[in-house]
mmCIF file with all atom_site columns, all heavy atoms in Angstrom:
data_model
loop_
_atom_site.group_PDB
_atom_site.id
_atom_site.type_symbol
_atom_site.label_atom_id
_atom_site.label_alt_id
_atom_site.label_comp_id
_atom_site.label_asym_id
_atom_site.label_entity_id
_atom_site.label_seq_id
_atom_site.pdbx_PDB_ins_code
_atom_site.Cartn_x
_atom_site.Cartn_y
_atom_site.Cartn_z
_atom_site.occupancy
_atom_site.B_iso_or_equiv
_atom_site.pdbx_formal_charge
_atom_site.auth_seq_id
_atom_site.auth_comp_id
_atom_site.auth_asym_id
_atom_site.auth_atom_id
_atom_site.pdbx_PDB_model_num
ATOM 1   N N   . PRO Y 1 220 ? 39.823 56.384 -187.267 1.00 88.00 ? 491 PRO Y N   1
ATOM 2   C CA  . PRO Y 1 220 ? 39.351 56.961 -188.523 1.00 88.00 ? 491 PRO Y CA  1
ATOM 3   C C   . PRO Y 1 220 ? 38.197 57.926 -188.282 1.00 88.00 ? 491 PRO Y C   1
ATOM 4   O O   . PRO Y 1 220 ? 37.601 57.911 -187.206 1.00 88.00 ? 491 PRO Y O   1
ATOM 5   C CB  . PRO Y 1 220 ? 38.871 55.722 -189.299 1.00 88.00 ? 491 PRO Y CB  1
ATOM 6   C CG  . PRO Y 1 220 ? 38.423 54.777 -188.232 1.00 88.00 ? 491 PRO Y CG  1
ATOM 7   C CD  . PRO Y 1 220 ? 39.365 54.989 -187.078 1.00 88.00 ? 491 PRO Y CD  1
ATOM 8   N N   . PRO Y 1 221 ? 37.879 58.767 -189.267 1.00 93.00 ? 492 PRO Y N   1
ATOM 9   C CA  . PRO Y 1 221 ? 36.762 59.702 -189.107 1.00 93.00 ? 492 PRO Y CA  1
ATOM 10  C C   . PRO Y 1 221 ? 35.434 58.965 -188.958 1.00 93.00 ? 492 PRO Y C   1
ATOM 11  O O   . PRO Y 1 221 ? 35.276 57.838 -189.412 1.00 93.00 ? 492 PRO Y O   1
ATOM 12  C CB  . PRO Y 1 221 ? 36.802 60.541 -190.393 1.00 93.00 ? 492 PRO Y CB  1
ATOM 13  C CG  . PRO Y 1 221 ? 37.578 59.721 -191.365 1.00 93.00 ? 492 PRO Y CG  1
ATOM 14  C CD  . PRO Y 1 221 ? 38.542 58.910 -190.565 1.00 93.00 ? 492 PRO Y CD  1
ATOM 15  N N   . ILE Y 1 222 ? 34.494 59.635 -188.303 1.00 94.00 ? 493 ILE Y N   1
ATOM 16  C CA  . ILE Y 1 222 ? 33.249 58.998 -187.897 1.00 94.00 ? 493 ILE Y CA  1
ATOM 17  C C   . ILE Y 1 222 ? 32.077 59.925 -188.184 1.00 94.00 ? 493 ILE Y C   1
ATOM 18  O O   . ILE Y 1 222 ? 32.245 61.143 -188.287 1.00 94.00 ? 493 ILE Y O   1
ATOM 19  C CB  . ILE Y 1 222 ? 33.333 58.657 -186.389 1.00 94.00 ? 493 ILE Y CB  1
ATOM 20  C CG1 . ILE Y 1 222 ? 32.187 57.736 -185.962 1.00 94.00 ? 493 ILE Y CG1 1
ATOM 21  C CG2 . ILE Y 1 222 ? 33.393 59.909 -185.533 1.00 94.00 ? 493 ILE Y CG2 1
ATOM 22  C CD1 . ILE Y 1 222 ? 32.370 57.180 -184.560 1.00 94.00 ? 493 ILE Y CD1 1
ATOM 23  N N   . THR Y 1 223 ? 30.882 59.368 -188.301 1.00 97.00 ? 494 THR Y N   1
ATOM 24  C CA  . THR Y 1 223 ? 29.682 60.175 -188.478 1.00 97.00 ? 494 THR Y CA  1
ATOM 25  C C   . THR Y 1 223 ? 28.516 59.546 -187.734 1.00 97.00 ? 494 THR Y C   1
ATOM 26  O O   . THR Y 1 223 ? 28.460 58.323 -187.579 1.00 97.00 ? 494 THR Y O   1
ATOM 27  C CB  . THR Y 1 223 ? 29.334 60.333 -189.975 1.00 97.00 ? 494 THR Y CB  1
ATOM 28  O OG1 . THR Y 1 223 ? 28.265 61.273 -190.116 1.00 97.00 ? 494 THR Y OG1 1
ATOM 29  C CG2 . THR Y 1 223 ? 28.905 59.006 -190.598 1.00 97.00 ? 494 THR Y CG2 1
ATOM 30  N N   . ALA Y 1 224 ? 27.616 60.390 -187.250 1.00 97.00 ? 495 ALA Y N   1
ATOM 31  C CA  . ALA Y 1 224 ? 26.340 59.925 -186.712 1.00 97.00 ? 495 ALA Y CA  1
ATOM 32  C C   . ALA Y 1 224 ? 25.279 60.119 -187.792 1.00 97.00 ? 495 ALA Y C   1
ATOM 33  O O   . ALA Y 1 224 ? 25.487 60.871 -188.756 1.00 97.00 ? 495 ALA Y O   1
ATOM 34  C CB  . ALA Y 1 224 ? 25.966 60.698 -185.447 1.00 97.00 ? 495 ALA Y CB  1
ATOM 35  N N   . ARG Y 1 225 ? 24.151 59.425 -187.645 1.00 98.00 ? 496 ARG Y N   1
ATOM 36  C CA  . ARG Y 1 225 ? 23.073 59.552 -188.629 1.00 98.00 ? 496 ARG Y CA  1
ATOM 37  C C   . ARG Y 1 225 ? 21.719 59.625 -187.930 1.00 98.00 ? 496 ARG Y C   1
ATOM 38  O O   . ARG Y 1 225 ? 21.592 59.275 -186.749 1.00 98.00 ? 496 ARG Y O   1
ATOM 39  C CB  . ARG Y 1 225 ? 23.106 58.366 -189.606 1.00 98.00 ? 496 ARG Y CB  1
ATOM 40  C CG  . ARG Y 1 225 ? 24.328 58.370 -190.510 1.00 98.00 ? 496 ARG Y CG  1
ATOM 41  C CD  . ARG Y 1 225 ? 24.294 57.272 -191.559 1.00 98.00 ? 496 ARG Y CD  1
ATOM 42  N NE  . ARG Y 1 225 ? 25.320 57.496 -192.577 1.00 98.00 ? 496 ARG Y NE  1
ATOM 43  C CZ  . ARG Y 1 225 ? 26.473 56.829 -192.658 1.00 98.00 ? 496 ARG Y CZ  1
ATOM 44  N NH1 . ARG Y 1 225 ? 26.749 55.853 -191.780 1.00 98.00 ? 496 ARG Y NH1 1
ATOM 45  N NH2 . ARG Y 1 225 ? 27.365 57.113 -193.594 1.00 98.00 ? 496 ARG Y NH2 1
ATOM 46  N N   . SER Y 1 226 ? 20.731 60.054 -188.685 1.00 98.00 ? 497 SER Y N   1
ATOM 47  C CA  . SER Y 1 226 ? 19.373 60.111 -188.153 1.00 98.00 ? 497 SER Y CA  1
ATOM 48  C C   . SER Y 1 226 ? 18.802 58.702 -188.043 1.00 98.00 ? 497 SER Y C   1
ATOM 49  O O   . SER Y 1 226 ? 19.228 57.767 -188.744 1.00 98.00 ? 497 SER Y O   1
ATOM 50  C CB  . SER Y 1 226 ? 18.481 60.948 -189.071 1.00 98.00 ? 497 SER Y CB  1
ATOM 51  O OG  . SER Y 1 226 ? 18.281 60.264 -190.303 1.00 98.00 ? 497 SER Y OG  1
ATOM 52  N N   . GLY Y 1 227 ? 17.810 58.557 -187.173 1.00 98.00 ? 498 GLY Y N   1
ATOM 53  C CA  . GLY Y 1 227 ? 17.133 57.271 -187.066 1.00 98.00 ? 498 GLY Y CA  1
ATOM 54  C C   . GLY Y 1 227 ? 16.525 56.835 -188.387 1.00 98.00 ? 498 GLY Y C   1
ATOM 55  O O   . GLY Y 1 227 ? 16.545 55.645 -188.729 1.00 98.00 ? 498 GLY Y O   1
ATOM 56  N N   . GLU Y 1 228 ? 16.028 57.792 -189.152 1.00 98.00 ? 499 GLU Y N   1
ATOM 57  C CA  . GLU Y 1 228 ? 15.436 57.471 -190.454 1.00 98.00 ? 499 GLU Y CA  1
ATOM 58  C C   . GLU Y 1 228 ? 16.474 56.863 -191.390 1.00 98.00 ? 499 GLU Y C   1
ATOM 59  O O   . GLU Y 1 228 ? 16.215 55.857 -192.072 1.00 98.00 ? 499 GLU Y O   1
ATOM 60  C CB  . GLU Y 1 228 ? 14.834 58.734 -191.078 1.00 98.00 ? 499 GLU Y CB  1
ATOM 61  C CG  . GLU Y 1 228 ? 14.135 58.501 -192.405 1.00 98.00 ? 499 GLU Y CG  1
ATOM 62  C CD  . GLU Y 1 228 ? 13.542 59.782 -192.982 1.00 98.00 ? 499 GLU Y CD  1
ATOM 63  O OE1 . GLU Y 1 228 ? 13.734 60.859 -192.371 1.00 98.00 ? 499 GLU Y OE1 1
ATOM 64  O OE2 . GLU Y 1 228 ? 12.885 59.692 -194.033 1.00 98.00 ? 499 GLU Y OE2 1
ATOM 65  N N   . ASP Y 1 229 ? 17.661 57.458 -191.408 1.00 98.00 ? 500 ASP Y N   1
ATOM 66  C CA  . ASP Y 1 229 ? 18.717 56.936 -192.273 1.00 98.00 ? 500 ASP Y CA  1
ATOM 67  C C   . ASP Y 1 229 ? 19.204 55.570 -191.790 1.00 98.00 ? 500 ASP Y C   1
ATOM 68  O O   . ASP Y 1 229 ? 19.493 54.679 -192.601 1.00 98.00 ? 500 ASP Y O   1
ATOM 69  C CB  . ASP Y 1 229 ? 19.892 57.913 -192.332 1.00 98.00 ? 500 ASP Y CB  1
ATOM 70  C CG  . ASP Y 1 229 ? 19.633 59.085 -193.273 1.00 98.00 ? 500 ASP Y CG  1
ATOM 71  O OD1 . ASP Y 1 229 ? 18.642 59.029 -194.033 1.00 98.00 ? 500 ASP Y OD1 1
ATOM 72  O OD2 . ASP Y 1 229 ? 20.412 60.051 -193.239 1.00 98.00 ? 500 ASP Y OD2 1
ATOM 73  N N   . ILE Y 1 230 ? 19.312 55.399 -190.487 1.00 98.00 ? 501 ILE Y N   1
ATOM 74  C CA  . ILE Y 1 230 ? 19.766 54.116 -189.950 1.00 98.00 ? 501 ILE Y CA  1
ATOM 75  C C   . ILE Y 1 230 ? 18.732 53.029 -190.225 1.00 98.00 ? 501 ILE Y C   1
ATOM 76  O O   . ILE Y 1 230 ? 19.076 51.893 -190.580 1.00 98.00 ? 501 ILE Y O   1
ATOM 77  C CB  . ILE Y 1 230 ? 20.071 54.250 -188.441 1.00 98.00 ? 501 ILE Y CB  1
ATOM 78  C CG1 . ILE Y 1 230 ? 21.221 55.241 -188.222 1.00 98.00 ? 501 ILE Y CG1 1
ATOM 79  C CG2 . ILE Y 1 230 ? 20.419 52.889 -187.827 1.00 98.00 ? 501 ILE Y CG2 1
ATOM 80  C CD1 . ILE Y 1 230 ? 21.382 55.702 -186.788 1.00 98.00 ? 501 ILE Y CD1 1
ATOM 81  N N   . ALA Y 1 231 ? 17.457 53.364 -190.099 1.00 98.00 ? 502 ALA Y N   1
ATOM 82  C CA  . ALA Y 1 231 ? 16.389 52.390 -190.356 1.00 98.00 ? 502 ALA Y CA  1
ATOM 83  C C   . ALA Y 1 231 ? 16.459 51.864 -191.784 1.00 98.00 ? 502 ALA Y C   1
ATOM 84  O O   . ALA Y 1 231 ? 16.100 50.702 -192.053 1.00 98.00 ? 502 ALA Y O   1
ATOM 85  C CB  . ALA Y 1 231 ? 15.028 53.019 -190.083 1.00 98.00 ? 502 ALA Y CB  1
ATOM 86  N N   . ALA Y 1 232 ? 16.932 52.709 -192.708 1.00 98.00 ? 503 ALA Y N   1
ATOM 87  C CA  . ALA Y 1 232 ? 16.980 52.293 -194.117 1.00 98.00 ? 503 ALA Y CA  1
ATOM 88  C C   . ALA Y 1 232 ? 18.002 51.187 -194.350 1.00 98.00 ? 503 ALA Y C   1
ATOM 89  O O   . ALA Y 1 232 ? 17.928 50.483 -195.369 1.00 98.00 ? 503 ALA Y O   1
ATOM 90  C CB  . ALA Y 1 232 ? 17.295 53.498 -195.003 1.00 98.00 ? 503 ALA Y CB  1
ATOM 91  N N   . PHE Y 1 233 ? 18.945 50.991 -193.434 1.00 98.00 ? 504 PHE Y N   1
ATOM 92  C CA  . PHE Y 1 233 ? 19.876 49.864 -193.574 1.00 98.00 ? 504 PHE Y CA  1
ATOM 93  C C   . PHE Y 1 233 ? 19.146 48.522 -193.520 1.00 98.00 ? 504 PHE Y C   1
ATOM 94  O O   . PHE Y 1 233 ? 19.650 47.510 -194.005 1.00 98.00 ? 504 PHE Y O   1
ATOM 95  C CB  . PHE Y 1 233 ? 20.949 49.894 -192.481 1.00 98.00 ? 504 PHE Y CB  1
ATOM 96  C CG  . PHE Y 1 233 ? 21.930 51.029 -192.600 1.00 98.00 ? 504 PHE Y CG  1
ATOM 97  C CD1 . PHE Y 1 233 ? 22.238 51.825 -191.507 1.00 98.00 ? 504 PHE Y CD1 1
ATOM 98  C CD2 . PHE Y 1 233 ? 22.565 51.302 -193.807 1.00 98.00 ? 504 PHE Y CD2 1
ATOM 99  C CE1 . PHE Y 1 233 ? 23.153 52.867 -191.603 1.00 98.00 ? 504 PHE Y CE1 1
ATOM 100 C CE2 . PHE Y 1 233 ? 23.478 52.337 -193.924 1.00 98.00 ? 504 PHE Y CE2 1
ATOM 101 C CZ  . PHE Y 1 233 ? 23.773 53.129 -192.816 1.00 98.00 ? 504 PHE Y CZ  1
ATOM 102 N N   . PHE Y 1 234 ? 17.950 48.518 -192.921 1.00 98.00 ? 505 PHE Y N   1
ATOM 103 C CA  . PHE Y 1 234 ? 17.184 47.282 -192.757 1.00 98.00 ? 505 PHE Y CA  1
ATOM 104 C C   . PHE Y 1 234 ? 16.164 47.074 -193.874 1.00 98.00 ? 505 PHE Y C   1
ATOM 105 O O   . PHE Y 1 234 ? 15.307 46.189 -193.769 1.00 98.00 ? 505 PHE Y O   1
ATOM 106 C CB  . PHE Y 1 234 ? 16.473 47.287 -191.400 1.00 98.00 ? 505 PHE Y CB  1
ATOM 107 C CG  . PHE Y 1 234 ? 17.418 47.297 -190.229 1.00 98.00 ? 505 PHE Y CG  1
ATOM 108 C CD1 . PHE Y 1 234 ? 17.750 48.485 -189.594 1.00 98.00 ? 505 PHE Y CD1 1
ATOM 109 C CD2 . PHE Y 1 234 ? 17.992 46.122 -189.770 1.00 98.00 ? 505 PHE Y CD2 1
ATOM 110 C CE1 . PHE Y 1 234 ? 18.621 48.503 -188.518 1.00 98.00 ? 505 PHE Y CE1 1
ATOM 111 C CE2 . PHE Y 1 234 ? 18.864 46.123 -188.694 1.00 98.00 ? 505 PHE Y CE2 1
ATOM 112 C CZ  . PHE Y 1 234 ? 19.180 47.316 -188.066 1.00 98.00 ? 505 PHE Y CZ  1
ATOM 113 N N   . GLU Y 1 235 ? 16.261 47.859 -194.924 1.00 97.00 ? 506 GLU Y N   1
ATOM 114 C CA  . GLU Y 1 235 ? 15.314 47.743 -196.036 1.00 97.00 ? 506 GLU Y CA  1
ATOM 115 C C   . GLU Y 1 235 ? 15.323 46.313 -196.588 1.00 97.00 ? 506 GLU Y C   1
ATOM 116 O O   . GLU Y 1 235 ? 16.369 45.722 -196.829 1.00 97.00 ? 506 GLU Y O   1
ATOM 117 C CB  . GLU Y 1 235 ? 15.689 48.718 -197.143 1.00 97.00 ? 506 GLU Y CB  1
ATOM 118 C CG  . GLU Y 1 235 ? 14.710 48.742 -198.297 1.00 97.00 ? 506 GLU Y CG  1
ATOM 119 C CD  . GLU Y 1 235 ? 15.106 49.748 -199.375 1.00 97.00 ? 506 GLU Y CD  1
ATOM 120 O OE1 . GLU Y 1 235 ? 16.211 50.314 -199.299 1.00 97.00 ? 506 GLU Y OE1 1
ATOM 121 O OE2 . GLU Y 1 235 ? 14.297 49.964 -200.282 1.00 97.00 ? 506 GLU Y OE2 1
ATOM 122 N N   . GLY Y 1 236 ? 14.115 45.751 -196.751 1.00 97.00 ? 507 GLY Y N   1
ATOM 123 C CA  . GLY Y 1 236 ? 13.979 44.395 -197.267 1.00 97.00 ? 507 GLY Y CA  1
ATOM 124 C C   . GLY Y 1 236 ? 14.108 43.318 -196.207 1.00 97.00 ? 507 GLY Y C   1
ATOM 125 O O   . GLY Y 1 236 ? 13.957 42.124 -196.509 1.00 97.00 ? 507 GLY Y O   1
ATOM 126 N N   . LEU Y 1 237 ? 14.374 43.706 -194.976 1.00 98.00 ? 508 LEU Y N   1
ATOM 127 C CA  . LEU Y 1 237 ? 14.493 42.768 -193.871 1.00 98.00 ? 508 LEU Y CA  1
ATOM 128 C C   . LEU Y 1 237 ? 13.320 42.967 -192.910 1.00 98.00 ? 508 LEU Y C   1
ATOM 129 O O   . LEU Y 1 237 ? 12.652 43.997 -192.922 1.00 98.00 ? 508 LEU Y O   1
ATOM 130 C CB  . LEU Y 1 237 ? 15.818 42.974 -193.133 1.00 98.00 ? 508 LEU Y CB  1
ATOM 131 C CG  . LEU Y 1 237 ? 17.083 42.970 -193.990 1.00 98.00 ? 508 LEU Y CG  1
ATOM 132 C CD1 . LEU Y 1 237 ? 18.303 43.312 -193.136 1.00 98.00 ? 508 LEU Y CD1 1
ATOM 133 C CD2 . LEU Y 1 237 ? 17.269 41.620 -194.682 1.00 98.00 ? 508 LEU Y CD2 1
ATOM 134 N N   . GLU Y 1 238 ? 13.085 41.997 -192.048 1.00 98.00 ? 509 GLU Y N   1
ATOM 135 C CA  . GLU Y 1 238 ? 11.988 42.065 -191.082 1.00 98.00 ? 509 GLU Y CA  1
ATOM 136 C C   . GLU Y 1 238 ? 12.568 42.254 -189.687 1.00 98.00 ? 509 GLU Y C   1
ATOM 137 O O   . GLU Y 1 238 ? 13.255 41.365 -189.163 1.00 98.00 ? 509 GLU Y O   1
ATOM 138 C CB  . GLU Y 1 238 ? 11.141 40.788 -191.145 1.00 98.00 ? 509 GLU Y CB  1
ATOM 139 C CG  . GLU Y 1 238 ? 10.471 40.580 -192.494 1.00 98.00 ? 509 GLU Y CG  1
ATOM 140 C CD  . GLU Y 1 238 ? 9.778  39.224 -192.610 1.00 98.00 ? 509 GLU Y CD  1
ATOM 141 O OE1 . GLU Y 1 238 ? 9.857  38.432 -191.641 1.00 98.00 ? 509 GLU Y OE1 1
ATOM 142 O OE2 . GLU Y 1 238 ? 9.169  38.970 -193.660 1.00 98.00 ? 509 GLU Y OE2 1
#
Side-chain angles (χ1 to χ4, degrees):
I493 192 170
T494 188
R496 292 185 167 104
S497 69
E499 183 180 3
D500 281 349
I501 297 166
F504 291 131
F505 296 97
E506 184 179 8
L508 308 175
E509 298 173 358

